[in-house]
Amino acid sequence: MQPQDVAPRPGPAVSSSADPVVGVEQAEAALVEHYPRLVRLAYLVLPPGLGRKRRVLTAHALTQRALPRGRASASVIPAQPTGRDGDPGYAYLRLQVVRAALEAGRPLRFGAWPKRSQLPPLLPQVWGLRLFPRSGGADELALEKRLSALSGPARAAYVLRGLERLPEGVLRKVLKAAGVEDAEAALREADGDADRYPLLESPEFDPCSLQARPTDLMRRRQHTKAALAAVAAVVVCGALLALPGGGWGPDGAAAPASAQNPAARAALDPGLLTRVAATAWESSARTDFSVWPARGDLTGDTALLRRALAVWARPGENVRVSATPGTPSGGPAGPPQLLYAGVVDNARVVILYDGLRIARYAEPKDGTQGAALDFARVDGATGAGAEAVVLGRSDGNVRYLTAPWVRKAAERDLLKPGAGEMALTLAKGVTSPVASAPQTGSCTSWNVLQVTDDSGTRLLLSDLGELVPAHLTAGRPGYTGEASGARALRTWSPFACSLASMRSAGVRSVNAWAYAAQPLPDASGSADWVCTRAETWRGGGTRVLAQFHTPGGVYGAVVAKAENVPSCGPRDPHVLAGVLWKSQQGSWYLLAAGSRDTASVSATGGVRGTARGGLLAVKAEQGTQAGLKGTLEDGRSISGLG
């Protein structure tokens, strides 16, 4: 259980005039604590031309080699309001990482011995896999292009300025200490694009959160065959001699490995793509992606469709591939269904469906190299699960392709239930831009898509960073309804920002259940208890949050959370949670609430007390640890969530 009062953050540290001395132990502690940030810093400063796999491995290698061999002097102290303030160990490691990353980007000189950082890293090493961070959107692609156009010193200046938030004076010292001869020129070249600084902390540039794909399997197989040709010939001849009159080989009746499967060959033919008639959905009992027609201005662009299918089957090094958890990213088993092909903002986009997955292919409209391939699992999608697909994200906005039965689309801010809806235009199923929910910083709004189908039902869909938006509902599990009603909107309002914790988790739907209202001690009004449960497309990975909201508060507080539990769901529509709360008079209490069929609640541990019914309020001390147990009306026992 978590107290609601949070201590203020400490102010920025002040550097001393003398250079602090850093010991190995202090540097090692700083490396362990800030390793992900230091690796991200190295990854961003390294030249993008190295390729993403070598860039990831080199960033880890440079960071791991940054420890001093003995005691060292750290002459540049950070001065920013984070936990790294005044830490000479972190300042020393940051300088070593930047210096090594700049050295790694310098070209090799004829007749001169290369430095260790200029060579491929010996450790860490990964064989048979390509590693790369998660793919971002159009904004991250633009930032990557901007960084690749900068010189090494300017790239270091831009990253230190945007990621580390260093003052100009400290930044200039760091650059000079890292070996930059003309720090002023580097700073001038790095000027501009300050609005993209927050993107430096996005998953696109996190070399500690990686995706893995196989290397070129065909080329690897060919090399292996060439190296073992003589041995293979002997083994094959011996096997043939040993067979008395024929028999099965290890692959049975399969064709040779070089033969192409007809279905796999057909999957790459744009002329065989499945195209559904525009009116098929009107006479079909199905309400899923299988009855979506092909839309967009480029559905007849055979060359574009061929590229999309080929990249799906064999993504190259310049393709950014991402997939929701539990979603396979291999090629289609047969010709997929075409849902969309057209221009979206600055990209040509193709949306395909193979019965299990939605695949989105995007390439720059200006013809530059590089492409993106995104996958989302949608097996069993029907009704609300097949209402919309993300076409693209750009400049903090998102565009959707809606189902053919959607009649109206609107934008709504979940934090402001009384503000009403803002109508969106629908052009052949494509919405006008919708403001994206905040990814970093404070949460002052949470915009969602509201669609109205041909029956007049209004549904709310929230973009959680994946191809298919999550469906929002409200109510007791097993009796949930749409979140578009006035009461449901009021239920969701204080807890909308908690949706940020469910990004990129393959979430299919999120339900908010206001399971209890509790009178507060000291006549402080009444608090609301809400349980939010996120269901996923893959079945596992469900997330449950118990949240607490006091009168007058803008946001609710997450007081308990759990994963892969039946609580707060159709299989077990019960929940029990508690929180340490400070009243307006300054007294601390343990408050707990269970769902309406809770017969009694008991507190154990640092606070003891029992109450009949589903509500408990017991005086406590700040920081007290307590456990919760409840008894349901049918005699079954439940424990506190989490």
Side-chain angles (χ1 to χ4, degrees):
M1 287 164 289
Q2 305 168 357
Q4 279 193 281
D5 286 9
V6 180
R9 297 173 67 175
V14 178
S15 303
S16 63
S17 58
D19 292 348
V21 174
V22 179
V24 176
E25 295 82 3
Q26 184 179 6
E28 184 178 11
L31 181 65
V32 172
E33 181 179 358
H34 304 296
Y35 184 81
R37 190 173 190 88
L38 290 166
V39 177
R40 181 188 291 265
L41 179 62
Y43 181 82
L44 287 165
V45 175
L46 285 168
L50 288 178
R52 288 192 291 170
K53 177 182 176 181
R54 179 173 170 184
R55 199 169 157 203
V56 165
L57 297 178
T58 301
H60 282 273
L62 297 182
T63 304
Q64 293 170 14
R65 295 203 300 260
L67 284 175
R69 297 183 182 276
R71 300 174 67 81
S73 172
S75 60
V76 183
I77 305 297
Q80 62 218 47
T82 72
R84 303 178 303 277
D85 288 348
D87 184 352
Y90 179 79
Y92 173 82
L93 293 173
R94 179 179 59 198
L95 176 59
Q96 299 305 310
V97 166
V98 172
R99 178 185 291 135
L102 288 174
E103 288 177 350
R106 297 189 182 113
L108 297 174
R109 295 181 179 179
F110 181 76
W113 284 101
K115 295 192 175 182
R116 186 179 180 185
S117 57
Q118 294 177 285
L119 300 175
L122 295 176
L123 290 173
Q125 278 291 347
V126 177
W127 298 95
L129 287 176
R130 293 187 294 114
L131 299 178
F132 46 88
R134 286 184 172 274
S135 299
D139 294 337
E140 285 82 358
L141 282 170
L143 178 57
E144 178 85 347
K145 189 174 181 180
R146 156 78 165 152
L147 291 175
S148 64
L150 294 175
S151 64
R155 190 163 51 250
Y158 185 89
V159 172
L160 288 170
R161 184 185 281 160
L163 183 66
E164 294 291 289
R165 306 291 183 182
L166 294 183
E168 292 298 305
V170 177
L171 175 56
R172 192 175 288 104
K173 291 180 180 179
V174 172
L175 291 175
K176 290 181 179 179
V180 176
E181 296 180 357
D182 194 346
E184 297 297 335
L187 291 171
R188 287 194 301 271
E189 186 181 349
D191 284 342
D193 287 337
D195 56 329
R196 292 178 176 170
Y197 287 163
L199 295 176
L200 294 172
E201 301 195 38
S202 71
E204 166 80 6
F205 305 111
D206 183 5
C208 290
S209 178
L210 301 172
Q211 292 185 312
R213 293 292 181 273
T215 55
D216 190 332
L217 298 179
M218 293 302 296
R219 181 180 299 174
R220 196 167 74 192
R221 186 179 299 169
Q222 290 168 0
H223 289 174
T224 304
K225 286 180 179 179
L228 302 177
V231 176
V234 172
V235 171
V236 171
C237 292
L240 291 174
L241 291 173
L243 290 174
W248 293 114
D251 294 331
S258 58
Q260 290 192 10
N261 184 293
R265 193 165 58 244
L268 300 179
D269 187 348
L272 297 179
L273 283 172
T274 301
R275 298 170 187 254
V276 176
T279 58
W281 67 272
E282 297 177 1
S283 57
S284 175
R286 304 185 66 158
T287 55
D288 56 17
F289 292 109
S290 68
V291 294
W292 277 35
R295 287 170 286 181
D297 297 332
L298 300 179
T299 55
D301 190 337
T302 303
L304 171 64
L305 299 178
R306 189 182 303 278
R307 290 196 298 274
L309 292 170
V311 169
W312 185 354
R314 304 182 307 278
E317 286 287 342
N318 293 328
V319 179
R320 304 169 188 272
V321 182
S322 70
T324 57
T327 305
S329 58
Q337 178 183 341
L338 177 63
L339 303 185
Y340 180 86
V343 175
V344 181
D345 297 323
N346 294 318
R348 286 187 287 266
V349 175
V350 177
I351 305 290
L352 300 165
Y353 170 63
D354 69 350
L356 171 67
R357 302 163 294 173
I358 292 288
R360 175 185 178 272
Y361 169 80
E363 64 181 28
K365 188 173 63 174
D366 59 8
T368 57
Q369 289 188 349
L373 184 62
D374 305 309
F375 295 96
R377 183 171 174 173
V378 291
D379 50 318
T382 184
E387 293 286 333
V389 171
V390 171
L391 278 182
R393 299 181 180 89
S394 179
D395 299 326
N397 296 311
V398 58
R399 289 182 187 269
Y400 296 92
L401 176 67
T402 60
W405 51 82
V406 169
R407 290 290 171 262
K408 292 193 301 182
E411 182 177 3
R412 179 183 285 280
D413 187 352
L414 269 189
L415 287 179
K416 303 176 180 64
E421 60 190 53
M422 297 166 283
L424 299 171
T425 60
L426 272 178
K428 298 180 180 179
V430 179
T431 69
S432 51
V434 179
S436 297
Q439 297 188 13
T440 57
S442 60
C443 180
T444 57
S445 64
W446 193 278
N447 288 42
V448 296
L449 174 68
Q450 177 178 288
V451 296
T452 305
D453 62 20
D454 57 337
S455 68
T457 303
R458 294 183 303 168
L459 302 92
L460 294 188
L461 307 171
S462 180
D463 176 24
L464 296 182
E466 296 171 332
L467 281 181
V468 180
H471 177 213
L472 303 184
T473 59
R476 180 180 174 83
Y479 303 92
T480 61
E482 297 301 333
S484 54
R487 182 176 179 181
L489 289 171
R490 289 193 298 271
T491 298
W492 262 109
S493 175
F495 311 103
C497 293
S498 67
L499 289 169
S501 66
M502 302 171 186
R503 289 186 189 276
S504 302
V507 173
R508 180 173 188 164
S509 63
V510 187
N511 182 61
W513 172 30
Y515 70 89
Q518 182 173 25
L520 295 172
D522 298 344
S524 299
S526 179
D528 294 321
W529 290 86
V530 169
C531 178
T532 54
R533 180 181 176 90
E535 302 287 353
T536 66
W537 288 99
R538 64 191 183 277
T542 56
R543 299 185 181 184
V544 180
L545 304 178
Q547 306 192 61
F548 179 74
H549 180 237
T550 54
V554 178
Y555 308 105
V558 176
V559 299
K561 55 186 176 180
E563 291 192 16
N564 295 313
V565 296
S567 303
C568 194
R571 293 183 179 274
D572 186 16
H574 311 286
V575 65
L576 173 64
V579 65
L580 285 175
W581 173 78
K582 185 179 181 182
S583 71
Q584 296 176 355
Q585 283 74 23
S587 300
W588 285 89
Y589 291 87
L590 168 65
L591 304 179
S595 44
R596 64 184 181 184
D597 52 355
T598 304
S600 65
V601 179
S602 300
T604 60
V607 179
R608 295 186 175 273
T610 302
R612 295 180 62 85
L615 302 176
L616 173 70
V618 184
K619 276 202 169 185
E621 298 293 332
Q622 181 180 2
T624 300
Q625 299 291 322
L628 293 174
K629 291 186 177 180
T631 303
L632 301 178
E633 293 176 352
D634 61 5
R636 185 162 63 93
S637 296
I638 59 173
S639 301
L641 186 68

